[in-house]
Amino acid sequence: MAAVEEEPERRAAAAEDAADEDADAGSGASLLPAGNRLSLDLHSGGCRRLLRLCARHAPLLLRVEFLQLSGHEDPRLLGAALAQVPRSLPQLRSLVLKGGQHWDALGTCRPGSLTTLPASLSGLTRLAHLDLSFNSLETLPACIPRLGRLAALLLSHNRLSELPEALGALSALTFLSVTHNCLRALPLALGALSALQRLDLSENRLDTLPPEVGGLSSLQELNLASNRLQSLPASLAGLRSLQILVLHSNLLVSVPAGLARLPLLARLDLRDNQLQEVPPELLDAPFVRLQGNPLGEALPAPPSPPGPPAAPGMPRLLLTSELDSFLVTPQGCSVTLACGVRLQFPAGATATSVTIRYRLWLPEPRLVPLGPHDSLLSGVLELQPHRLAFQQEVGLWLLFVPPRARRCREVVVRTLSGDSWSDLETRLEEEAPKRLWAHCQVPHFSWFLVVSRPVSNACLVPPEGALLWSSGHSGVKVTFPPGATEEPRQVRMQVVRMAGRELRALLGEPQAAVSPLLCLSQSGPPGFLRPVTVQLPLPPGVTGLSVDRARLHLLYRAPPAATWDDITAQVALELTHLYARFQVTHFSWYWLWYTTKTCVGGLARKAWERLRLHRVNLIALQRRRDPEQVLLQCLPRSKVDAALQRLLERYRGPEPSDTVEMFEGEKFFAAFERGIDVDADRPDCVQGRVCFVFYSHLKNLKEVSFYRGAVPEDVPPEAEAARQRKAPDAQWMATLPIKLPRLRRSEGPGPGPGAGLSLAPLNLGDAETGFLTQSNLLSLAGRLGPDWPAVALHLGLSYRELQRIRHEFRDDLDAQIRHMLFSWAERRAGQPGAVGSLVQALEQSERRDVADEVRAILELGRHKYQDGIRRTGLAPRDLAPPGPAASPSPEPAQA
């Protein structure tokens, strides 16, 4: 009945699009399943296109097993499209209706518009996977409990406050995720899910668990982190299959003693609770984590979370991700935000109760003040109300990414104070390896971030004079004579080193050398009343006795200009055996150079840029399960190989660009050409280009959804990345190929792929596992498509060999696949386990459809071979593998 009710809406949508029906005909054809891949991925405008396909009664829709629709579609249109699914896609096994793919102007993820599902979806009798994450569900749709074969149900990031008792009817359910919702209680029928293996209920508002949870006899993983649980039912000790139990960030004061007797338990996370006691068997267990609990001396010595211990009776708050504010009373409190930031308000910090709000901002140039040699190590944290003065300083702990190089560098917390940014006195605390915290005391709230900077030394210069030296390089000193200033003023010094080999490579001069780069700054008037003496070490390899003064240059830079001026003739350079001294009345940047080159100022500018540049690669990747989702990533050259290995299983490709150079905090753009349109609703989309900002220690990656325009199939689309410059024309940095799924299989007059090939006869395999013939391999080659590089790598081919094949057959994808597959088969012919290696490589490349076909070919071939043996009366001992030297045998069936 529901399908009949939705029929007028379907007809209305089709009529509304009649004007552009012809223009979208090619697009509609591209949505049909290709080969036996049996997948249909629709994003922008997907509901309208799905309705058109259903109206055409496309026969291939009857074979579709995977469907993905965007949760940001119009709710009425989405309901009309979903109502057609049971009738038009009866074989559907996986349905993905995720939201969260759009962002608002501030970069916040917007939930999808889905609030319910049509009742007719209960007719999907084969559905095993349903993903409704990142939507606006407040109640569970009534059709879901009637999906008897459902094995995986994903409901994370919705607004569910309860789950119905009817959920217990899902007897085949093995995975249930309801994380980041508003659940306050669980249905008693949850314990009837006897097949459930993984249950994730983290980031909710649960304060109790029903005892029936102990009836989940197959449960292996249970995640209850970031709830409000104060106790656990004793029935948890009956979960005999449980391997992982996550309970951190709750309010537990005790745990059942029976947990220590679970036979398979390999991980128990009890961090950040209120545990007063723990069963002795768990105290010494290596798989138990107990940090952040007031257990006193009973705990062994694992590291405790940073910060001083909370005073007795001080409240502890653990905020979940949906909360962006909390209340602070004069009693004080200890707060852990969902993002990992920790604050401690001592008693008396506020005279009255104050509501504190926080927000995490994506780093961008207008929010991230960086010096020329600074590096960003964290996102931007905003705490409100701004400029609220506390009666006692508040402790702040920020988690950050440890910098790779620490020599002559330091980590500080930077904050906005008034109209200018300043660095706070910062102490580093290590909770675990590669997990560092920056701790500081703040008198008021504002914006905060963590940066790595060259070591800075400062002092207050009184009228009587002072001496300032660098802790990073003891030979760098500044002497202030008496009377240099009338009022005390703050002065600061930073020293930056440059590797000699980089300078010599830049100049092409083996004897070239430079001193450390010195930056001097001050508060107050721009100049001093008396000259200040600056000491710099002579460049390496140069001494005062052997120096050629004609080659020694003192360079000066006055910000914000990027030019370096040679002021050697304007100052009196006093040389000792190891140092050069000179006097100045204004502070700025100073640098000693030793070179035979002329025009040293221009060379110094290039060298200064080289100091600040990072060598990076750009990578374009496509999701294997969703080829219209592209991952664009910018990462340092040293991390490319590790990143490619990690991403290979989930993404098609990858193909890194040539190495390019970028400054910290530099903005650049990814532009798609030739028929690829980027979603213009993205807040980071500028004139059809996706905006990036490069930070060397943060993840510079973005997911991009695109769709085709009306372009010929034979035009290879590409992704371009351009750097934003002040010059009128942007400088192109790299070109990265992105191979879109084919619109349709090309139809020519020939007999099909492989026509005209002349390949040597080949039988791959052995008598035990079966054989694949040349014809079988040729058919399989036609099925691999763009996934062939991943299959090749899993077969053991080197990346260099892949590049050679791509170059040799760069205009023919089918030839690339055939050459790869047959060259591997010829090398493995006659070796045991070859066919098994091929099946394993196909499965690792997520081409299980092709792997299943290979198994079917082998099984059919074995049956035919044995039938032939029985007809000829041969004994089993006379069996011999078919090959050039063996008697002819029935050929295995071709794919």
Side-chain angles (χ1 to χ4, degrees):
M1 186 61 186
V4 175
E5 293 172 352
E6 300 290 353
E7 184 69 19
E9 295 186 13
R10 183 184 66 80
R11 289 200 303 267
E16 182 182 349
D17 298 323
D20 58 347
E21 181 78 18
D22 294 335
D24 282 346
S27 177
S30 70
L31 301 174
L32 293 180
N36 287 356
R37 199 161 175 79
L38 301 180
S39 64
L40 177 59
D41 301 344
L42 306 177
H43 297 283
S44 179
C47 288
R48 296 185 186 275
R49 288 181 280 174
L50 178 59
L51 286 172
R52 293 178 193 143
L53 287 172
C54 295
R56 296 170 192 162
H57 302 289
L60 285 179
L61 285 181
L62 300 176
R63 303 171 57 202
V64 170
E65 295 184 355
F66 174 90
L67 173 63
Q68 175 164 330
L69 288 171
S70 171
H72 294 282
E73 297 278 359
D74 177 79
R76 293 178 65 251
L77 198 59
L78 184 59
L82 291 176
Q84 302 301 315
V85 169
R87 182 178 60 185
S88 301
L89 289 77
Q91 302 299 317
L92 198 65
R93 301 187 70 250
S94 175
L95 177 59
V96 177
L97 300 171
K98 291 178 64 173
Q101 299 166 3
H102 292 175
W103 299 265
D104 60 21
L106 297 176
T108 303
C109 178
R110 293 202 316 231
S113 58
L114 187 70
T115 58
T116 187
L117 293 176
S120 60
L121 282 188
S122 60
L124 293 172
T125 57
R126 296 174 57 88
L127 194 68
H129 173 265
L130 179 60
D131 189 348
L132 304 176
S133 306
F134 294 94
N135 277 292
S136 304
L137 297 175
E138 296 184 359
T139 59
L140 192 71
C143 63
I144 292 181
R146 296 199 290 269
L147 298 172
R149 293 192 180 182
L150 196 63
L153 178 58
L154 290 81
L155 300 167
S156 61
H157 294 272
N158 275 280
R159 303 169 185 172
L160 297 171
S161 58
E162 61 178 359
L163 295 175
E165 293 290 340
L167 191 69
L170 297 175
S171 58
L173 197 65
T174 61
F175 175 52
L176 175 61
S177 174
V178 203
T179 181
H180 288 86
N181 275 274
C182 307
L183 297 180
R184 298 182 180 276
L186 296 177
L188 302 182
L190 186 68
L193 301 177
S194 58
L196 194 64
Q197 298 177 9
R198 295 172 59 197
L199 176 58
D200 190 349
L201 298 168
S202 59
E203 301 285 350
N204 278 283
R205 303 175 185 178
L206 300 172
D207 50 18
T208 59
L209 292 179
E212 285 75 10
V213 171
L216 299 173
S217 57
S218 301
L219 195 63
Q220 299 176 9
E221 298 182 22
L222 176 58
N223 191 341
L224 294 163
S226 299
N227 277 282
R228 303 172 181 178
L229 297 173
Q230 301 182 27
S231 62
L232 299 173
S235 61
L236 286 185
L239 300 176
R240 310 300 290 175
S241 300
L242 195 63
Q243 301 176 20
I244 298 175
L245 178 56
V246 181
L247 294 163
H248 72 75
S249 305
N250 276 282
L251 303 173
L252 296 172
V253 295
S254 64
V255 293
L259 294 181
R261 295 187 290 275
L262 291 176
L264 302 179
L265 193 61
R267 177 188 169 194
L268 176 58
D269 192 342
L270 294 168
R271 292 172 300 156
D272 296 320
N273 277 280
Q274 303 286 337
L275 293 175
Q276 303 291 336
E277 58 179 357
V278 173
E281 300 91 335
L282 294 178
L283 276 177
D284 300 324
F287 58 84
V288 181
R289 303 185 67 181
L290 292 166
Q291 295 94 319
N293 284 283
L295 289 170
E297 300 299 328
L299 266 179
S304 58
M314 176 179 289
R316 296 179 69 243
L317 305 179
L318 305 172
L319 268 64
T320 55
S321 58
E322 73 270 9
L323 299 178
D324 59 359
S325 63
F326 55 93
L327 185 68
V328 176
T329 66
Q331 182 184 1
C333 62
S334 175
V335 183
T336 301
L337 307 182
C339 58
V341 174
R342 296 177 178 176
L343 301 106
Q344 183 155 316
F345 297 83
T350 61
T352 60
S353 297
V354 178
T355 298
I356 305 296
R357 298 183 300 277
Y358 81 94
R359 180 168 183 176
L360 282 179
W361 293 84
L362 295 175
E364 51 183 80
R366 69 181 181 88
L367 287 177
V368 180
L370 294 179
H373 299 277
D374 294 346
S375 298
L376 181 65
L377 303 181
S378 74
V380 181
L381 172 69
E382 181 187 8
L383 293 171
Q384 296 180 339
H386 293 171
R387 301 183 182 179
L388 171 66
F390 295 106
Q391 299 184 13
Q392 296 189 48
E393 289 187 335
V394 175
L396 174 64
W397 286 263
L398 295 170
L399 192 64
F400 66 93
V401 180
R404 291 183 294 276
R406 301 190 189 183
R407 183 186 179 191
C408 299
R409 298 188 68 86
E410 59 186 353
V411 174
V412 295
V413 175
R414 187 161 293 172
T415 185
L416 182 63
S417 180
D419 296 328
S420 61
W421 290 83
S422 59
D423 294 342
L424 300 174
E425 183 177 347
T426 307
R427 185 172 71 251
L428 301 187
E429 300 180 8
E430 184 172 2
E431 182 180 4
K434 297 185 179 181
R435 187 177 174 87
L436 295 176
W437 299 79
H439 170 217
C440 59
Q441 299 292 125
V442 297
H444 57 81
F445 278 169
S446 180
W447 282 270
F448 301 91
L449 50 93
V450 183
V451 299
S452 169
R453 70 179 188 188
V455 171
S456 179
N457 299 101
C459 73
L460 187 67
V461 178
E464 295 79 16
L467 173 65
L468 175 64
W469 68 91
S470 170
S471 59
H473 197 299
S474 58
V476 179
K477 297 180 180 179
V478 180
T479 304
F480 301 88
T485 177
E486 291 182 345
E487 299 291 335
R489 67 174 73 180
Q490 190 79 16
V491 296
R492 186 176 299 274
M493 166 196 298
Q494 283 185 316
V495 176
V496 182
R497 299 173 181 264
M498 182 173 187
R501 62 180 180 275
E502 294 186 12
L503 177 68
R504 291 189 288 271
L506 178 66
L507 301 181
E509 181 182 358
Q511 288 78 31
V514 295
S515 73
L517 174 62
L518 174 63
C519 174
L520 296 172
S521 60
Q522 62 168 330
S523 63
F528 290 93
L529 300 178
R530 296 186 60 188
V532 174
T533 301
V534 178
Q535 174 180 293
L536 282 176
L538 290 171
V542 179
T543 64
L545 301 178
S546 62
V547 65
D548 180 357
R549 280 184 171 263
R551 298 174 58 184
L552 190 64
H553 304 269
L554 178 62
L555 303 177
Y556 163 89
R557 172 184 172 266
T563 58
W564 289 83
D565 299 323
D566 190 344
I567 61 171
T568 311
Q570 304 173 25
V571 299
L573 273 178
E574 175 189 348
L575 303 183
T576 67
H577 183 61
L578 297 176
Y579 303 104
R581 298 190 181 98
F582 53 93
Q583 291 187 330
V584 298
T585 57
H586 292 76
F587 273 3
S588 189
W589 295 65
Y590 299 94
W591 209 356
L592 271 178
W593 275 55
Y594 193 71
T595 176
T596 58
K597 302 287 185 179
T598 57
C599 301
V600 182
L603 296 174
R605 178 176 179 174
K606 292 182 179 179
W608 185 57
E609 287 186 353
R610 180 66 59 85
L611 272 174
R612 300 180 294 121
L613 282 171
H614 300 269
R615 297 189 175 187
V616 302
N617 291 92
L618 307 175
I619 299 179
L621 301 161
Q622 282 179 281
R623 289 189 183 275
R624 293 186 179 279
R625 296 184 179 273
D626 186 2
E628 293 188 359
Q629 288 284 327
V630 174
L631 172 76
L632 296 179
Q633 186 167 11
C634 175
L635 69 170
R637 184 177 60 177
S638 59
K639 294 186 176 181
V640 170
D641 292 338
L644 296 186
Q645 282 294 117
R646 185 176 65 253
L647 296 171
L648 180 61
E649 293 185 0
R650 292 178 290 131
Y651 292 92
R652 181 177 291 121
E655 297 183 12
S657 71
D658 295 334
T659 300
V660 294
E661 295 180 332
M662 287 187 185
F663 295 107
E664 183 83 5
E666 182 175 7
K667 183 178 293 187
F668 68 100
F669 296 85
F672 296 91
E673 307 294 341
R674 303 185 192 176
I676 307 181
D677 296 326
V678 181
D679 182 3
D681 292 335
R682 296 172 58 121
D684 56 355
C685 183
V686 182
Q687 296 180 349
R689 298 179 177 182
V690 180
C691 176
F692 284 73
V693 182
F694 171 73
Y695 294 107
S696 57
H697 289 79
L698 303 183
K699 288 186 177 180
N700 307 282
L701 60 91
K702 293 194 178 183
E703 296 280 358
V704 182
S705 301
F706 60 84
Y707 58 92
R708 282 192 182 86
V711 295
E713 182 183 357
D714 56 350
V715 177
E718 297 174 336
E720 309 279 358
R723 180 182 299 179
Q724 176 74 7
R725 293 295 190 187
K726 294 181 180 179
D729 297 326
Q731 176 183 353
W732 293 102
M733 294 193 302
T735 299
L736 301 172
I738 296 178
K739 299 174 182 177
L740 291 176
R742 293 186 174 184
L743 293 176
R744 61 183 69 85
R745 185 178 296 276
S746 57
E747 297 177 0
L757 286 178
S758 177
L759 300 172
L762 177 68
N763 283 297
L764 184 70
D766 50 53
E768 293 184 1
T769 60
F771 296 90
L772 295 178
T773 66
Q774 171 199 349
S775 300
N776 299 143
L777 290 178
L778 188 59
S779 177
L780 295 177
R783 295 280 311 283
L784 291 182
D787 291 326
W788 76 269
V791 177
L793 292 174
H794 285 120
L795 285 174
L797 275 71
S798 65
Y799 189 74
R800 179 176 298 180
E801 189 171 358
L802 259 66
Q803 294 294 82
R804 179 185 61 78
I805 295 174
R806 282 185 174 129
H807 178 74
E808 186 175 351
F809 304 96
R810 52 188 173 274
D811 297 325
D812 190 345
L813 176 63
D814 292 333
Q816 294 176 9
I817 302 171
R818 291 194 299 267
H819 185 84
M820 178 278 295
L821 193 57
F822 277 88
S823 61
W824 169 82
E826 289 171 359
R827 289 197 298 265
R828 293 296 304 269
Q831 298 182 15
V835 176
S837 299
L838 176 60
V839 173
Q840 183 179 5
L842 290 169
E843 290 181 336
Q844 291 174 340
S845 305
E846 296 189 2
R847 291 308 304 267
R848 292 181 177 84
D849 55 333
V850 184
D852 292 340
E853 183 174 337
V854 173
R855 293 190 183 96
I857 292 173
L858 297 175
E859 185 65 24
L860 184 58
R862 279 195 294 267
H863 284 308
K864 288 188 175 182
Y865 183 53
Q866 293 169 3
D867 290 342
I869 290 176
R870 283 193 294 269
R871 286 196 301 268
T872 57
L874 294 177
R877 63 177 178 273
D878 296 324
L879 291 179
S887 300
S889 62
E891 180 176 313
Q894 298 180 11

